[in-house]
Amino acid sequence: MDTIKIIIAGPRGRMGREAVDLVMNTEHFELTAVLDHKNDGMMLSDVQGFQGVTNVPVYTDIEKCLQNTEADVLIDLTTPEAGPYHVRTALNYNVRPVVGTTGFTKEELQEFEETCKEKELGCIIAPNFAIGAVLMMKFSQMAAKYFQDVEIIEMHHDRKLDAPSGTAVKTAEMISAVREAKKQGHPNEKETIEGARGADYNGMHIHSVRLPGLIAHQQVMFGSDGQTITIRHDSYNRASFMSGVKVAVETVMKQNTFVYGLENILD
C-alpha cells in the first residue's frame, strides 16, 4: 500500500494525541506536519509529550503549512470555529480532509459537498469515528421505522463546546429520514423551567448532559404502548475513535466526493 502523507490539526488535544499515535504506528501512514494554535516554528518533538516524534514541524498558519508540506490528507480534530476554514483551505490545496470536528452548519456542509464535486476530491466529515457509535445510529434508524416516539440523550465531558453533539444531530437526521415528523408528549405540556424537554428536532427531543468523568455516550430511547427499547453506545477512551479514523483516511484517498457520516463508507 502506498504511503499516505498526513497533516494533523489539533495534535495537543485529547483526540489529536491519539491521532498522532495512530499515524506514527501505522506502517503506511506518514506524519509530515501538524497544525497548532501555538508553537509555530518548533518541531513537534520539542513539545511536551511528543519527544519521540521526530522531523515533524509545527505550524499555526494552515496556508503556510500546506505551501511548505507535502500532504495527501488533513486530519482535523480542532474546534467548530477553526474547522470550516481548515476544510476550505485544504480542499483549495487539493488535500483531502478527514474531519472529526463537529458543529458545522448545513450551509457549510453543502458548500463542502459542492467544492468536492467541482474539484473531484474526497472529503469525509464524521460526527463520530467510533464504529460502535455508527452501528448505534444505524440500529436507531432501523428501530424508528416501527417506533415513532423517540428521545435522544447524549452525554459528554464538560469540555465539549457544542450541544447537542454532532452524533446526536446525525442520529436525529437519520431517524427523520424514515420517521414522519411528530410532536411528542402531551399536546398541552408546558415547561415550568425553560429547556426541561430539551431541543426539538422534528418533534423528537434531544437532551445534552455535560459532566467531568464522561467521554462520549449516547442512548436513543423508543417507546410505544406497553414497551420501550433503548439503544446505547459508550466510548470509555478516545482510542475507541481511532479505528474509524484509520478507515476514513484510507477510504478518502479512493474517493472524489463528499461524505458526511462514517456509516456511508462502512459495508
Side-chain angles (χ1 to χ4, degrees), residues 20-117:
V20 170
D21 286 343
L22 170 72
V23 174
M24 296 303 295
N25 290 299
T26 302
E27 188 175 354
H28 57 285
F29 288 0
E30 180 185 346
L31 186 61
T32 55
V34 296
L35 188 64
D36 194 6
H37 64 82
K38 63 181 186 178
N39 301 314
D40 186 46
M42 295 176 63
M43 299 301 288
L44 189 57
S45 56
D46 297 325
V47 178
Q48 185 176 2
F50 296 101
Q51 282 74 19
V53 183
T54 57
N55 301 318
V56 176
V58 181
Y59 293 90
T60 56
D61 185 311
I62 187 172
E63 292 237 19
K64 184 179 177 183
C65 179
L66 291 168
Q67 288 165 4
N68 292 301
T69 306
E70 188 178 349
D72 302 304
V73 173
L74 170 73
I75 298 176
D76 186 90
L77 302 166
T78 57
T79 65
E81 292 74 30
Y85 175 62
H86 290 169
V87 173
R88 288 189 194 98
T89 309
L91 289 173
N92 189 46
Y93 280 83
N94 295 313
V95 173
R96 298 165 188 261
V98 168
V99 185
T101 305
T102 57
F104 292 101
T105 66
K106 289 184 178 179
E107 291 75 20
E108 287 167 340
L109 296 176
Q110 185 175 355
E111 173 199 335
F112 301 151
E113 184 173 12
E114 290 170 356
T115 302
C116 289
K117 185 176 181 180

Side-chain angles (χ1 to χ4, degrees), residues 115-136:
T115 302
C116 289
K117 185 176 181 180
E118 177 187 323
K119 297 178 75 71
E120 296 186 345
L121 207 60
C123 171
I124 297 174
I125 295 180
N128 198 315
F129 279 114
I131 303 297
V134 175
L135 293 173
M136 174 265 296

